[in-house]
Every structure is written in C-alpha cells, then in structure tokens.
Amino acid sequence: MPKAKAYSAAGATSPLASTTISRRDPTERDVQIEILFCGICHSDLHAVRNEWGGFMPTVYPIVPGHEIIGRVTKVGSAVKKFKPGDIAGVGCMVDSDQTCPQCKAGFEQFCPNMILTYNSPDKHLGGVTYGGYSDGIVVDEHFVLRIPSNLSLAGAAPLLCAGVTTYSPMRHWGATKGKKVGVVGLGGLGHMAVKFAHAFGAHVVVFTTSPNKKEDALRLGADEVVLSRDANEMKKHTFSFDFILDAVSAQHDINAYLNLLGRDGAITLVGLPSKPMEISAFNLIMGRKSLSGSAIGGIGETQEMLDFCGKHNITSDVEVIPIQKVNEAYARLAKSDVKYRFSIDMASLKAE
Ligand code: NAP
Ligand code: ZN
C-alpha cells in the first residue's frame, strides 16, 4: 500500500503536524493524483476543532483538505477521462452510491451514502478518509474534475469547494442581470460569490464586518459595500434584495438580513456556524420571504462551474503558503484575516 506524506491534527486543540498515511492502490476505476495545491476552507478549521461535534463528530487524527488540484500519476484500467500527466481536481466528495435518486439526478452531495473527502468512513482501508493536506490521493474517477488549462493551479484549487458552493445557489436562485444580490461575509466563499454574481450580471452588494476589505470588495466586482455593524447603512437597503447569500462562519443575527429582502426575496445559508440561530417569523411573513440552505454542488455542476471559470478566467484570490505555515493560517482564518483564500503549495511537504 503506497504511503503519503500529510499533515494531521491529533485532537481538537492540537496543532496540525507532519505525519505519514496510507493510500490505497488504485482500483480499475481509480485515479491516483500527486497533490500540487490544496486550499484551506473554514470547514477544515471547524472540523479540526470539532466545532461541528454535535452533528458530525471529528475522528482523530484528521487530515483535512477538500480543495485539491494535482497531477494524475496513475489510472485504473477502466478509467476513461484521465491519463497520467493530466491536471485534475478533487472537491468535498470522493464517493457516493451512484444509484439513488439523488445521484441519478446529479446531486451526489445529497446521497445518503456520500463519502466526504475527509472524516467519512473509508470503505477501502477502514477508518476514515484523509483529505488533501497530503502529497497524494486516490479517488474514483467519477469524483475527479477536469481543470481548464488557462487557470492558475494555486488559484483554481479553492474553486473545488468555495467555487461550487457559491456558484450553485446563485444559479439555482437566479442571481442574474436585473437582480439585487447580497453577499454576507467577504471570506473564501464570499469573495467567490462576488466574482460569480458579478459575472452573472447581478447588482452586487457586499456586507462585511471588516472596514479594511471595502476596497477589495469593489475590486472583486461588488457595486456597493455595506459595513454590517453600521445600522444606518443597513437601513438604507430595507426591503430591496432579490437574493442574499450568507457565507458567515460564526454566530450572527440573520434577522438583520431578512429585513433587507424584498417581496419574494430569498436568503440562502452556506455558512455553517456551530450553533442554531434564532429567526423571527415576523421577518419572514412580511414579504413572503424564503430562508434556505445549500451544500456544495453535484459533480456535473462542479464541472460546469470549472468550465465557466475557464471561459471567464475566474480563480480565487489566493495567498500561497507552505504547509509549515498552516497553523498560522488557521489562526488568521479564525480572525477573518484572509485575502481571500490560503492555498497550500504541497511541494513544501517534500521538506518533511
Ligand atoms: P472564511 O474565509 O473564514 O470567511 C468567513 C467570513 O465570515 C469572514 O471572512 C468574515 O467576513 C465573516 N465573519 C466571520 N466571523 C463573523 C462574525 N462573528 N460576524 C459576522 N461575520 C463574520 O470562511 P469560508 O471558508 O468562506 O467558509 C464560510 C462558512 O461556510 C464556514 O462556516 C464553512 O464551514 C462554510 N462552508 C459551507 C459549505 C457548504 O457546502 N454549505 C462549503 C464550504 C464552506 P468579513 O470580514 O467580510 O465580515
Ligand atoms: Zn470547503
């Protein structure tokens, strides 16, 4: 069984540190990938710290990472889409049953037997799956994505999670020309949401708690920026939005945003704070408003998003770091101090 270098955390308060893990020999349907870049998603931080313990407890040691870009090194005999040397991507899922109604409809993310890239049961090796903070991974071809050749690899990695998680709801709820669209939280997901909403032709308003992100928001494609802690600024947008995407990782008052939706407006949660939120029914009924949620996107839609990014030259704004800086990056992520995604250069693992 091939060994891979990786970074793992031994417990909820332990730092990530160098380790060695096993990867399976590729089966006939598998693609073996040498990982070149892996983005750092706030979900990695939630999982490492077991912040979602009540819903999906973390099994330690954990190797996080689900924004993976790499080079194919080997393929099984039945693999059709990839050959050694190709650039390939892997996102949040590595398996599903592919027979249930959700899979058949292209919604692998809702399959009851979906396997996440990390912290899910590993049916090949036992234990749990290990993610992309590693120099290699072996994945069923169905869950491996093609990466348009014009995109930078470090900047394309975050598309595999932050990209599709924002693209999918914006497409579903129609963030198009003529629509007023809000994005709450200018982090990894939020900055991709701004790029997509702008590319789809919507009027984009960013809500941020960080005054120092204002200029960036405009550069990324926002038409307006609102400091969400300024009640007067918020008030100006009362009853005016068609759609708001909430990409905030921590506790916050969502009622303030329900007030900003117009008639039949919809707010969709993609951010996953660990605690339940309070919602006033009054804020929903006046205007027939909708509150919903969305999780990543199916494999077909992920490929569609990547192809869209290729066509429109969209990548994530990344700060490339060596794996040795991952704990520092987590500390900054926890403080909303990231512009706008960390992308780990996996060549740095060679030094371990
Ligand atoms: P991130 O880069 O850390 O961005 C989160 C942003 O939220 C921060 O940059 C900050 O933006 C804002 N924020 C943080 N704390 C806040 C607070 N107390 N009050 C108000 N705003 C606050 O995180 P991310 O990687 O984009 O992920 C965002 C969330 O989405 C996480 O909970 C993650 O687990 C979840 N997620 C969900 C899915 C899905 O499928 N639904 C997929 C991936 C990630 P400002 O500085 O602009 O205020
Ligand atoms: Zn993610």
Side-chain angles (χ1 to χ4, degrees), residues 273-298:
S274 51
K275 293 206 186 92
M277 32 178 79
E278 270 194 14
I279 289 140
S280 162
F282 287 91
N283 289 335
L284 281 171
I285 66 157
M286 288 311 290
R288 200 165 54 184
K289 297 165 184 177
S290 307
L291 166 64
S292 53
S294 186
I296 47 174

Short mmCIF file of all heavy atoms in Angstrom, two decimals, residues 273-298:
data_model
loop_
_atom_site.label_atom_id
_atom_site.label_comp_id
_atom_site.label_asym_id
_atom_site.label_seq_id
_atom_site.Cartn_x
_atom_site.Cartn_y
_atom_site.Cartn_z
N PRO A 273 -22.22 28.08 10.98
CA PRO A 273 -21.88 28.30 12.39
C PRO A 273 -22.32 27.08 13.20
O PRO A 273 -23.29 26.40 12.84
CB PRO A 273 -22.72 29.52 12.78
CG PRO A 273 -23.14 30.16 11.51
CD PRO A 273 -23.19 29.07 10.48
N SER A 274 -21.60 26.82 14.28
CA SER A 274 -21.87 25.58 15.02
C SER A 274 -23.19 25.60 15.79
O SER A 274 -23.79 24.57 16.01
CB SER A 274 -20.71 25.29 15.97
OG SER A 274 -20.43 26.43 16.74
N LYS A 275 -23.66 26.80 16.18
CA LYS A 275 -24.88 26.87 17.00
C LYS A 275 -26.11 27.24 16.16
O LYS A 275 -25.99 28.00 15.20
CB LYS A 275 -24.70 27.92 18.10
CG LYS A 275 -23.65 27.53 19.13
CD LYS A 275 -23.94 28.22 20.47
CE LYS A 275 -22.83 27.96 21.47
NZ LYS A 275 -21.79 29.01 21.42
N PRO A 276 -27.30 26.74 16.54
CA PRO A 276 -28.53 27.12 15.83
C PRO A 276 -28.77 28.62 15.93
O PRO A 276 -28.32 29.26 16.88
CB PRO A 276 -29.63 26.36 16.57
CG PRO A 276 -28.95 25.34 17.40
CD PRO A 276 -27.56 25.83 17.66
N MET A 277 -29.51 29.19 14.95
CA MET A 277 -29.78 30.63 15.00
C MET A 277 -31.24 30.91 15.30
O MET A 277 -32.10 30.07 15.04
CB MET A 277 -29.35 31.31 13.71
CG MET A 277 -29.46 30.50 12.45
SD MET A 277 -28.98 31.43 10.99
CE MET A 277 -27.20 31.38 11.02
N GLU A 278 -31.50 32.09 15.83
CA GLU A 278 -32.88 32.49 16.12
C GLU A 278 -33.43 33.25 14.95
O GLU A 278 -32.77 34.15 14.42
CB GLU A 278 -32.90 33.40 17.36
CG GLU A 278 -33.06 32.61 18.61
CD GLU A 278 -33.43 33.47 19.81
OE1 GLU A 278 -33.82 34.63 19.63
OE2 GLU A 278 -33.30 32.93 20.91
N ILE A 279 -34.66 32.91 14.57
CA ILE A 279 -35.30 33.59 13.44
C ILE A 279 -36.67 34.06 13.86
O ILE A 279 -37.46 33.29 14.41
CB ILE A 279 -35.40 32.64 12.23
CG1 ILE A 279 -34.01 32.42 11.66
CG2 ILE A 279 -36.31 33.21 11.15
CD1 ILE A 279 -33.75 31.04 11.25
N SER A 280 -36.97 35.33 13.62
CA SER A 280 -38.29 35.86 13.93
C SER A 280 -39.22 35.58 12.75
O SER A 280 -38.93 35.96 11.61
CB SER A 280 -38.20 37.36 14.17
OG SER A 280 -39.49 37.92 14.05
N ALA A 281 -40.35 34.93 13.04
CA ALA A 281 -41.33 34.64 11.98
C ALA A 281 -41.82 35.93 11.32
O ALA A 281 -42.09 35.96 10.12
CB ALA A 281 -42.50 33.86 12.56
N PHE A 282 -41.89 37.00 12.11
CA PHE A 282 -42.37 38.28 11.56
C PHE A 282 -41.50 38.75 10.40
O PHE A 282 -41.97 39.33 9.44
CB PHE A 282 -42.39 39.35 12.67
CG PHE A 282 -43.51 39.15 13.63
CD1 PHE A 282 -43.34 38.39 14.77
CD2 PHE A 282 -44.77 39.69 13.36
CE1 PHE A 282 -44.39 38.18 15.65
CE2 PHE A 282 -45.83 39.48 14.25
CZ PHE A 282 -45.64 38.73 15.38
N ASN A 283 -40.20 38.46 10.51
CA ASN A 283 -39.28 38.90 9.46
C ASN A 283 -39.43 38.09 8.17
O ASN A 283 -38.95 38.49 7.12
CB ASN A 283 -37.83 38.81 9.94
CG ASN A 283 -37.53 39.85 10.98
OD1 ASN A 283 -38.19 40.89 11.01
ND2 ASN A 283 -36.56 39.58 11.84
N LEU A 284 -40.10 36.95 8.25
CA LEU A 284 -40.30 36.13 7.05
C LEU A 284 -41.65 36.39 6.39
O LEU A 284 -41.75 36.40 5.16
CB LEU A 284 -40.21 34.64 7.41
CG LEU A 284 -38.81 34.06 7.60
CD1 LEU A 284 -38.91 32.65 8.16
CD2 LEU A 284 -38.03 34.04 6.28
N ILE A 285 -42.69 36.58 7.21
CA ILE A 285 -44.04 36.64 6.62
C ILE A 285 -44.28 37.93 5.84
O ILE A 285 -44.95 37.91 4.82
CB ILE A 285 -45.16 36.43 7.67
CG1 ILE A 285 -45.19 37.58 8.67
CG2 ILE A 285 -45.01 35.09 8.39
CD1 ILE A 285 -46.54 37.72 9.34
N MET A 286 -43.72 39.04 6.31
CA MET A 286 -43.98 40.31 5.63
C MET A 286 -43.11 40.41 4.38
O MET A 286 -41.98 40.86 4.42
CB MET A 286 -43.72 41.49 6.57
CG MET A 286 -44.78 41.62 7.66
SD MET A 286 -46.47 41.55 7.01
CE MET A 286 -46.55 43.11 6.14
N GLY A 287 -43.67 39.96 3.28
CA GLY A 287 -42.92 39.97 2.02
C GLY A 287 -42.76 38.57 1.44
O GLY A 287 -42.11 38.40 0.42
N ARG A 288 -43.37 37.58 2.13
CA ARG A 288 -43.35 36.20 1.61
C ARG A 288 -41.90 35.76 1.31
O ARG A 288 -41.55 35.31 0.24
CB ARG A 288 -44.20 36.13 0.32
CG ARG A 288 -44.65 34.73 -0.02
CD ARG A 288 -45.75 34.74 -1.07
NE ARG A 288 -45.42 35.47 -2.27
CZ ARG A 288 -46.27 35.68 -3.30
NH1 ARG A 288 -47.49 35.18 -3.26
NH2 ARG A 288 -45.91 36.37 -4.35
N LYS A 289 -41.06 35.94 2.33
CA LYS A 289 -39.62 35.69 2.13
C LYS A 289 -39.26 34.23 2.37
O LYS A 289 -39.95 33.53 3.10
CB LYS A 289 -38.82 36.59 3.07
CG LYS A 289 -39.05 38.06 2.77
CD LYS A 289 -38.57 38.95 3.89
CE LYS A 289 -38.92 40.40 3.57
NZ LYS A 289 -38.54 41.30 4.68
N SER A 290 -38.17 33.80 1.77
CA SER A 290 -37.71 32.42 1.94
C SER A 290 -36.34 32.37 2.59
O SER A 290 -35.47 33.18 2.27
CB SER A 290 -37.59 31.71 0.60
OG SER A 290 -38.75 31.81 -0.14
N LEU A 291 -36.20 31.38 3.46
CA LEU A 291 -34.90 31.09 4.08
C LEU A 291 -34.54 29.68 3.69
O LEU A 291 -35.33 28.76 3.84
CB LEU A 291 -35.04 31.21 5.60
CG LEU A 291 -33.90 30.64 6.46
CD1 LEU A 291 -32.62 31.40 6.20
CD2 LEU A 291 -34.26 30.74 7.95
N SER A 292 -33.33 29.51 3.14
CA SER A 292 -32.94 28.19 2.64
C SER A 292 -31.46 27.96 2.87
O SER A 292 -30.76 28.82 3.40
CB SER A 292 -33.26 28.11 1.15
OG SER A 292 -32.65 29.20 0.50
N GLY A 293 -31.01 26.78 2.48
CA GLY A 293 -29.59 26.46 2.61
C GLY A 293 -29.12 25.71 1.39
O GLY A 293 -29.93 25.25 0.58
N SER A 294 -27.81 25.60 1.25
CA SER A 294 -27.27 24.92 0.07
C SER A 294 -25.92 24.30 0.43
O SER A 294 -25.15 24.89 1.19
CB SER A 294 -27.11 25.93 -1.07
OG SER A 294 -26.73 25.31 -2.26
N ALA A 295 -25.67 23.11 -0.08
CA ALA A 295 -24.41 22.41 0.20
C ALA A 295 -23.66 22.14 -1.10
O ALA A 295 -24.24 21.56 -2.04
CB ALA A 295 -24.67 21.09 0.92
N ILE A 296 -22.45 22.58 -1.16
CA ILE A 296 -21.55 22.43 -2.33
C ILE A 296 -22.34 22.38 -3.64
O ILE A 296 -23.13 23.27 -3.91
CB ILE A 296 -20.53 21.28 -2.16
CG1 ILE A 296 -21.16 19.98 -1.65
CG2 ILE A 296 -19.41 21.73 -1.24
CD1 ILE A 296 -20.21 18.77 -1.61
N GLY A 297 -22.17 21.34 -4.45
CA GLY A 297 -22.91 21.18 -5.69
C GLY A 297 -22.60 19.78 -6.19
O GLY A 297 -21.65 19.15 -5.70
N GLY A 298 -23.38 19.28 -7.12
CA GLY A 298 -23.11 17.95 -7.68
C GLY A 298 -21.84 17.95 -8.53
O GLY A 298 -21.28 19.01 -8.82
#
